[in-house]
Every structure is written in structure tokens, then in C-alpha cells.
């Protein structure tokens, strides 16, 4: 229990400490040491609880309940004030409805609610804890150097609010630990809403009109999910007297149809599935560490975490099928939209939504095979996408653009960083990296449960192959010798980059162990059976990994011109001075230009998104009809 308390309260204490730190040195020391302790604590939890299916903790909760209720009221008053101030009255209405429902419930039934177990630890919560404590901590460390550069780039435009920025980051990490360890649904709901408020504050960090509008869009859509979450808890308690997650999961499917639908909607909004995806796209205006931590590696994973928890209650049901279809269509539609995007952050955002859709698809299917695949997707996606986001953030600071078309010759200009981007992209779609293994597992689960859904996965995966390959091609396009511009990247930025690159490969290397000791036992505990890879597939995967390790990484301090010899492009003998210049048929100097195909004519962002929006809104409406 002491470890759980530490993981919940320590980052919260560090969050408040950050508000009073004004010097660079003190901030670096506290952030680095705190992140190291959180990573160690998460690893300690892994080794202590590795052989336990589930461990419950009872906490004397009268004072805690009162404290949580008071904080909920204060947060509601803050949101009402800030939304009214900015004339976002739909947000005000949602906050009032949600607050009124929970205040009535607490006052009318709070005295009669008794919980046997407020916290728990199982293997899925351990996996989530490792993602928060290791990947989350690496992103926070990266934020030290990034935010320093960010302020330099925005001198005179944006006030230096780094104490507030790191306060929110650590408060968010505390809330995420609360989400993955809470068995008391009221406490889970509280931590869930805290992550929503943290996201709102960080998206609006720049305080310009675009950031404010996108922050309120994210708040509005997540409050829809929050209202459904609150309604699901109230309905569950009034109909069954249950207020604990484990007891809810022990009920029959027929007894929890309405609560499952309401909580599933909450999970869909938090994981930015269509028709709620717009908020995650708008969130990309936030500084890169926010995109990497909240909107790729952790907060959005809270949504799919809840859906995977509910998976046994959705197995073989109409609700499960509709959830699976929403996830499948989200994967398909957003993968095709990503093809037409040249903004690197937008590609990563659409890719994130798409891969979350695959996990939602697994949760909706709800079989032991799908659960195994969904958890694998969470692990591999959190690592590789966290790496890619911080790579793009660093590139943007160095070349003053995040357009993929501006990343020509990055292999020459930023050799080490481009190698890391290759690792991250390979991790998303190439064998033997985890995302491809996970997609193989998803297809296997679909074929055993509902083969029709495989069409969505196959075509969506083809689209994702297209946009990753053309981006990789742009990185290695070399027209002329270019200056190395990697100087000036701080150690607090390099360390997370190296660490996440290593973790991307290590996750593939040690994935069989993670499956054997974490995922398979969890599946056995829930379903009484577990999926796994046979020895033949594992042997092939290890052989392929050996080839990956031979990938010519650039060692620290090395120069790429030691490995690459530039020669002129073949232009039919018409070359002029320079590797890609030639004389045209009518005379004059012509320059060869290399550019990607984005197929905007075929995958118009607004039209394609609208198709997905209509389809998934109809599926969502069908889910609500199931409540009648």
C-alpha cells in the first residue's frame, strides 16, 4: 500500500513545489530527481506484485471522500467561471449538469455508500503504471530543455509560465496513477476529471485565441464523456448498489447494459474516437511535451484502459459490436486522412487516433485474444509515439517548421535525431517491431470473432504503411551536402530521445517476457485462457530483431559524412554544377525538386472526416438506443 500512496501523493507534492521554483537549476534538480524516483517506484511495484493476480487495498475513506468532494466542487466552480468568462456557454451547461448530478448523488446517498476496497493492483494497472512512471517521466525530463527553447523562440509573445506548466504535468501524473489504481468508481471518476482539467489548461498554455478555442473544444467533448461517466455511476449504484469496479465486473452482462454503454462513451471521448476526434487534433497547438505526454502516451490511454476493463462485459453483445465498429471506422478513416497531411504533428495526431481505434476495436470484441492484442498495442504505441512526438518537437525548434516537406536531408542535417525518428517510425509498422505484431494479433482475434471487421483493419493498415514510408523517404532525400545543425540540443532533451529509442527496440526484444509474465496471466485471471505466440513465430521475430540491431545507428559525436558519399544524381548527362541542377530543353538552369504525394484530391481532410463523423455518430446513436 505504501507504494500506491507514494505514486499518488509524491507527484502531487512535487507539483505544488514547482509553483515556488523560479531558478533553472532548482527546477532541473527537482524534476530530474522526482522523475527518477517515480520510474524506480513503478519498477518496484512491478517486481513486488508480479506474481499476484490482483491485490485490493482498503483505505479509511470518510475524510478522503469529503476532500475529493470539496475539490470536485472547486474545480466545477473554476470551470463555470472560466467558461462563462470566455462565453463558452455549452461548456458551462455541461459543467452545471455534471456537478448538479454528482452533488445530488453525494448528498442523497453519500452517507450510505460503503466500499470494501478503494484501490487495487493487477497486471494491467502495473503496465499502465510503468507507462506513466517511465515514459511519462522521460517526457517530463524532455520538457525541461524543450520549454527553455520554447520560451527563447517566443520571447515577448508568451509569458514564462514554466512553474505552472510543470505543476500541471506532475498533477496530471498523480491523477493518472489514481485512474489506474482506483477501484472505487467515485474516486476513479474524480481522477478522470482531473486529467480533463489538466489537458484543458495545457492546451490553452499559449493563451492566444487558437489555443483558447481548442482548449475549450477539448473540455467540451471530454465533459460529454464525464457526464456519461457520472450518469453511469449513479445508475449503477441506484440499480445494483455497486460502486466498485471489481463488483461491477462481477455482475452479469444483462444487469449492467446501461452503465457499460455510458462508461464506454466516456472511454470513447477520452480516447478521441470519432465523432469526438476533433479535440485531439486541436490539442496539437500545445507545446510538444503536452502532445507526447497527455495526448499520445498517457491521458488518451486512460480511455482505452477503461474500455479494456469493461471488455468482459461487452463480449458478444450489441454494445461490444458497436464499440468495435466505432474503433474500426476511426482507424480506417483517420489513417486515410493522415495520407493527405504534410504537417508532422497532424500526421502523428491522426495516427494516434487511428491506433487508439484499434485498441477500442479490441475492447469491443472483448475476447481473450483481443484483450491480449489490445494491451500489446497500448505498450508499443505509448513508447514509439512518445518518441516520435518529441523528435518532431526538437526538429521544429531547429528548422522552424514541422512540415514534412521541410525535412529534406534531415539525415545529413540532424543525423542522430533522424536515426531515432527512423526507429520510432519502424516501431509503428515494420516487423519485428511491436505495432506490426500487435496488428497481427488484432487480425487473428477478429478472424476468430467477427471476420467482417478485418476489412477495416486491412485497409487502414495499408494506409498507415503509405504515410509512414513516404515520411521516411523524405528524411533520407539528399540533394546536396548540408550543415549539421544538431548542436545546441540540451542533455535533458537528448537523454529521453536515446532512452525512448532504446525502449522501442527493448520492447520488441522483451515483449515475449512481458506477454508471459504480465499479459497472459491477466487474461487467464479474467477469462480463464490466454493468447500467445508460438515458438516458431518467436524465433522468426528474434532473427528479424537481430537484423534491426545491425541498423547503422550514428554513435554520439559521429558525423554522417563518414558513412555517406554524395554523388550527382543521374539526369541523362545534362547535369550542371550541383547534384540536382540541369539545363532545360529551352535553355536555362532547372532544379530537380523532390516532393511527396499527399493525394489531397482523393482524401480531402474535411470531406473524409465528415464521412467518418456521420458513420460513427450513427453507431453512437445506435448504442444509446440500446439503453431504451
Amino acid at each position: 500500500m505504501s507504494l500506491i500512496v507514494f505514486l499518488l501523493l509524491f507527484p502531487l507534492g512535487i507539483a505544488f513545489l514547482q509553483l515556488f521554483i523560479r531558478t533553472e537549476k532548482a527546477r532541473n534538480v527537482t524534476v530530474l530527481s522526482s522523475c527518477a524516483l517515480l520510474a524506480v517506484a513503478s519498477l518496484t511495484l512491478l517486481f513486488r506484485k508480479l506474481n499476484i493476480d490482483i491485490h485490493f487495498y482498503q483505505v479509511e475513506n470518510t475524510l478522503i471522500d469529503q476532500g475529493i468532494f470539496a475539490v470536485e466542487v472547486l474545480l466545477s466552480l473554476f470551470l463555470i467561471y472560466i467558461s462563462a468568462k470566455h462565453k463558452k456557454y455549452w461548456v458551462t451547461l455541461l459543467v452545471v449538469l455534471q456537478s448538479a448530478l454528482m452533488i445530488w448523488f453525494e448528498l442523497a446517498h453519500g452517507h450510505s455508500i460503503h466500499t470494501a476496497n478503494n484501490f487495487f493492483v493487477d497486471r494491467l494497472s502495473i503496465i499502465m503504471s510503468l507507462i506513466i512512471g517511465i515514459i511519462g517521466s522521460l517526457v517530463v525530463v524532455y520538457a525541461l530543455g524543450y520549454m527553455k527553447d520554447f520560451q527563447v523562440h517566443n520571447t515577448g509573445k508568451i509569458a514564462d509560465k514554466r512553474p505552472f506548466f510543470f505543476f500541471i504535468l506532475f498533477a496530471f501524473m498523480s491523477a493518472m496513477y489514481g485512474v489506474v489504481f482506483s477501484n472505487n468508481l467515485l474516486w476513479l471518476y474524480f481522477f478522470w476529471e482531473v486529467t480533463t482539467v489538466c489537458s484543458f489548461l495545457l492546451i490553452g498554455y499559449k493563451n492566444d485565441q487558437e489555443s483558447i478555442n481548442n482548449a475549450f473544444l477539448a473540455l467540451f467533448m471530454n465533459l460529454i464523456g464525464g457526464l456519461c461517466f457520472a450518469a453511469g455511476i449513479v445508475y449503477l449504484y441506484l440499480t445494483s448498489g455497486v460502486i466498485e469496479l471489481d463488483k461491477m465486473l462481477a455482475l452479469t452482462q444483462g444487469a449492467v447494459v446501461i452503465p457499460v454503454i455510458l462508461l464506454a462513451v466516456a472511454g470513447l471521448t477520452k480516447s478521441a474516437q470519432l465523432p469526438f476526434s476533433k479535440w485531439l487534433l486541436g490539442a496539437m497547438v500545445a507545446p510538444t511535451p503536452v502532445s507526447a505526454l497527455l495526448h499520445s502516451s498517457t491521458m488518451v490511454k486512460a480511455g482505452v484502459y477503461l474500455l479494456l476493463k469493461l471488455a468482459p462485459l461487452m463480449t458478444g453483445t450489441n454494445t461490444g459490436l458497436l464499440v468495435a465498429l466505432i474503433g474500426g471506422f476511426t482507424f480506417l478513416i483517420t489513417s486515410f486522412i493522415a495520407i493527405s497531411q504534410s504537417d508532422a504533428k497532424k500526421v502523428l495526431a491522426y495516427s494516434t487516433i487511428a491506433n487508439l481505434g484499434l485498441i477500442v476495436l479490441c475492447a469491443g470484441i472483448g475476447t481473450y485474444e483481443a484483450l491480449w492484442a489490445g494491451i500489446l498495442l497500448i505498450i508499443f504505441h505509448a513508447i514509439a509515439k512518445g518518441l516520435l512526438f518529441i523528435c518532431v518537437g526538437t526538429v521544429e525548434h531547429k528548422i522552424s517548421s514541422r512540415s514534412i516537406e521541410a525535412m529534406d536531408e534531415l539525415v545529413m542535417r540532424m543525423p542522430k535525431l533522424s536515426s531515432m525518428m527512423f526507429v520510432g517510425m519502424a516501431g509503428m509498422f515494420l516487423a519485428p517491431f511491436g505495432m506490426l505484431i500487435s496488428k497481427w494479433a488484432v487480425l487473428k482475434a477478429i478472424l476468430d470473432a467477427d471476420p467482417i471487421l478485418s476489412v477495416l483493419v486491412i485497409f487502414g493498415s495499408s494506409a498507415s504503411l503509405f504515410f509512414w514510408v513516404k515520411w521516411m523517404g523524405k528524411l533520407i532525400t539528399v540533394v546536396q551536402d548540408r550543415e549539421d545543425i544538431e548542436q545546441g540540443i540540451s542533455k535533458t532533451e537528448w537523454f529521453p530521445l536515446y532512452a525512448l529509442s532504446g525502449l522501442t527496440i527493448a520492447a520488441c526484444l522483451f515483449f515475449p517476457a512481458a506477454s508471459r509474465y504480465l499479459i497472459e496471466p491477466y487474461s487467464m485471471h479474467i477469462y480463464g485462457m490466454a493468447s500467445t505466440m508460438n515458438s516458431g513465430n518467436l524465433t522468426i521475430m528474434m532473427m528479424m530483431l537481430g537484423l534491426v540491431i545491425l541498423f547503422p545507428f550514428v554513435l554520439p559525436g559521429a558525423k554522417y559524412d563518414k558513412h555517406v558519399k554524395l554523388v550527382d544524381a543521374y539526369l541523362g548527362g545534362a547535369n550542371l554544377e550541383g547534384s540536382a541542377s540541369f539545363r532545360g530543353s529551352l535553355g536555362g538552369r532547372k532544379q530537380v525538386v523532390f516532393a511527396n504525394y499527399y493525394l489531397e484530391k482523393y482524401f480531402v481532410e474535411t470531406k473524409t472526416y465528415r464521412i467518418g463523423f456521420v458513420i460513427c455518430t450513427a453507431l453512437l446513436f445506435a448504442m444509446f438506443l440500446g439503453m431504451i
Side-chain angles (χ1 to χ4, degrees):
M1 182 62 195
S2 58
L3 264 178
I4 304 299
V5 173
F6 176 83
L7 290 170
L8 285 168
L9 297 184
F10 177 72
L12 184 61
I14 297 299
F16 283 104
L17 179 62
Q18 293 302 311
L19 292 173
F20 302 99
I21 294 177
R22 292 293 181 268
T23 66
E24 200 82 45
K25 184 176 180 180
R27 183 180 298 114
N28 287 350
V29 170
T30 55
V31 169
L32 288 170
S33 57
S34 301
C35 289
L37 285 171
L38 287 174
V40 170
S42 296
L43 287 168
T44 303
L45 182 69
L46 165 68
F47 292 114
R48 283 190 181 179
K49 305 298 181 182
L50 188 60
N51 296 317
I52 299 174
D53 286 330
I54 189 166
H55 194 106
F56 291 102
Y57 301 95
Q58 170 60 15
V59 180
E60 182 56 43
N61 60 338
T62 303
L63 289 176
I64 297 176
D65 284 338
Q66 293 172 354
I68 286 176
F69 181 66
V71 175
E72 282 180 348
V73 172
L74 290 174
L75 288 176
S76 298
L77 291 174
F78 166 72
L79 293 177
I80 290 170
Y81 165 75
I82 200 74
S83 58
K85 177 183 176 181
H86 289 276
K87 299 180 181 179
K88 306 293 184 179
Y89 298 119
W90 283 108
V91 172
T92 308
L93 177 62
L94 283 174
V95 176
V96 170
L97 289 174
Q98 191 172 331
S99 302
L101 176 61
M102 293 308 291
I103 290 172
W104 167 81
F105 181 68
E106 292 277 2
L107 295 177
H109 300 280
H111 63 280
S112 61
I113 295 175
H114 300 287
T115 54
N117 302 296
N118 292 302
F119 290 119
F120 74 96
V121 173
D122 64 8
R123 287 177 173 87
L124 180 55
S125 61
I126 288 173
I127 291 171
M128 293 297 295
S129 173
L130 291 171
I131 291 172
I132 300 163
I134 297 177
I135 300 172
S137 292
L138 287 171
V139 175
V140 174
V141 169
Y142 170 81
L144 287 170
Y146 179 92
M147 292 307 293
K148 182 179 178 180
D149 290 342
F150 180 86
Q151 291 304 144
V152 171
H153 282 77
N154 292 279
T155 302
K157 300 177 184 177
I158 299 173
D160 189 349
K161 299 182 290 183
R162 279 179 286 175
F164 173 76
F165 183 85
F166 284 95
F167 163 74
I168 298 298
L169 287 188
F170 278 103
F172 165 77
M173 292 180 75
S174 174
M176 276 300 301
Y177 280 119
V179 167
V180 302
F181 292 135
S182 291
N183 189 51
N184 184 329
L185 286 172
L186 289 173
W187 293 11
L188 174 55
Y189 165 78
F190 167 72
F191 292 120
W192 183 275
E193 291 302 283
V194 170
T195 65
T196 295
V197 175
C198 289
S199 175
F200 164 71
L201 293 172
L202 288 171
I203 295 171
Y205 179 80
K206 295 179 184 177
N207 205 35
D208 56 19
Q209 197 56 51
E210 182 185 19
S211 299
I212 291 170
N213 289 339
N214 287 334
F216 275 107
L217 175 64
L219 182 61
F220 173 73
M221 290 192 171
N222 277 287
L223 284 173
I224 293 173
L227 180 59
C228 289
F229 202 135
I233 293 172
V234 171
Y235 185 91
L236 177 67
Y237 183 78
L238 294 180
T239 56
S240 64
V242 168
I243 202 73
E244 292 165 88
L245 183 60
D246 67 311
K247 291 181 179 178
M248 177 186 177
L249 297 175
L251 297 174
T252 61
Q253 289 182 338
V256 291
V257 172
I258 293 177
V260 166
I261 290 173
L262 291 169
L263 266 62
V265 173
L268 292 171
T269 57
K270 187 73 80 176
S271 54
Q273 297 299 282
L274 287 167
F276 306 109
S277 301
K278 279 288 186 184
W279 79 259
L280 184 61
L281 299 170
M284 294 301 113
V285 300
T288 292
V290 177
S291 302
L293 180 63
L294 276 73
H295 306 132
S296 179
S297 294
T298 50
M299 188 182 105
V300 290
K301 298 295 191 298
V304 291
Y305 164 80
L306 179 62
L307 289 168
L308 287 174
K309 276 290 182 184
L310 297 174
L313 296 176
M314 294 191 288
T315 308
T317 66
N318 290 332
T319 300
L321 176 60
L322 291 168
V323 167
L325 285 169
I326 289 173
F329 275 108
T330 298
F331 175 63
L332 177 69
I333 296 295
T334 53
S335 293
F336 277 113
I337 294 176
I339 291 174
S340 67
Q341 303 305 303
S342 59
D343 184 311
K345 255 187 140 178
K346 254 195 169 183
V347 172
L348 294 180
Y350 275 118
S351 170
T352 295
I353 296 168
N355 284 286
L356 291 170
L358 270 185
I359 304 172
V360 170
L361 172 61
C362 292
I365 293 172
T367 62
Y368 70 94
E369 291 177 303
L371 182 76
W372 186 76
I375 296 174
L376 280 180
L377 282 166
I378 286 178
I379 296 170
F380 292 126
H381 181 264
I383 300 171
K385 195 57 69 67
L387 171 61
L388 285 171
F389 263 109
I390 66 176
C391 281
V392 167
T394 305
V395 170
E396 182 182 6
H397 275 182
K398 299 304 289 185
I399 68 174
S400 300
S401 173
R402 62 188 192 208
S403 170
I404 293 173
E405 290 303 303
M407 295 183 187
D408 280 311
E409 301 164 333
L410 201 69
V411 73
M412 300 290 291
R413 293 185 285 170
M414 304 184 74
K416 292 192 288 289
L417 193 73
S418 60
S419 294
M420 294 172 187
M421 291 182 73
F422 263 88
V423 171
M425 291 178 195
M428 295 302 299
F429 77 99
L430 283 179
F433 287 102
M435 290 300 291
L436 188 68
I437 298 168
S438 302
K439 287 178 182 178
W440 166 84
V442 172
L443 276 173
K444 177 69 167 59
I446 291 173
L447 290 172
D448 289 343
D450 194 341
I452 298 298
L453 292 172
S454 63
V455 175
L456 301 175
V457 178
I458 292 168
F459 280 95
S461 297
S462 301
S464 63
L465 173 68
F466 186 79
F467 65 73
W468 287 126
V469 167
K470 65 191 180 80
W471 189 352
M472 293 175 81
K474 196 66 177 174
L475 297 180
I476 59 172
T477 298
V478 177
V479 177
Q480 58 186 330
D481 198 0
R482 297 291 291 269
E483 181 184 357
D484 188 329
I485 59 172
E486 283 186 324
Q487 297 81 9
I489 299 176
S490 67
K491 292 180 181 179
T492 57
E493 291 174 282
W494 275 126
F495 175 72
L497 287 163
Y498 277 114
L500 286 170
S501 299
L503 282 173
T504 303
I505 297 175
C508 184
L509 181 62
F510 296 108
F511 131 75
S515 175
R516 180 178 178 182
Y517 294 108
L518 290 171
I519 306 175
E520 293 170 35
Y522 179 75
S523 178
M524 286 294 295
H525 175 67
I526 301 296
Y527 294 96
M529 57 185 73
S531 183
T532 186
M533 292 184 72
N534 61 46
S535 57
N537 287 332
L538 286 175
T539 301
I540 294 171
M541 192 184 78
M542 290 299 108
M543 291 171 63
M544 297 179 73
L545 185 61
L547 297 175
V548 170
I549 294 173
L550 296 177
F551 183 82
F553 290 110
V554 181
L555 298 175
K559 298 293 183 182
Y560 228 100
D561 55 16
K562 294 179 181 178
H563 307 285
V564 176
K565 180 180 179 181
L566 289 176
V567 296
D568 285 352
Y570 176 71
L571 298 174
N575 292 60
L576 295 176
E577 182 182 353
S579 61
S581 298
F582 64 96
R583 188 178 301 281
S585 58
L586 299 178
R589 186 187 187 97
K590 303 293 182 181
Q591 185 76 22
V592 175
V593 177
F594 297 93
N596 271 321
Y597 287 105
Y598 290 96
L599 308 180
E600 299 99 328
K601 180 180 177 181
Y602 303 100
F603 304 115
V604 180
E605 182 179 7
T606 53
K607 290 182 180 179
T608 309
Y609 186 90
R610 195 177 300 125
I611 292 170
F613 182 90
V614 170
I615 292 172
C616 291
T617 299
L619 293 169
L620 195 65
F621 182 70
M623 279 179 61
F624 281 115
L625 286 179
M627 295 169 55
I628 301 176

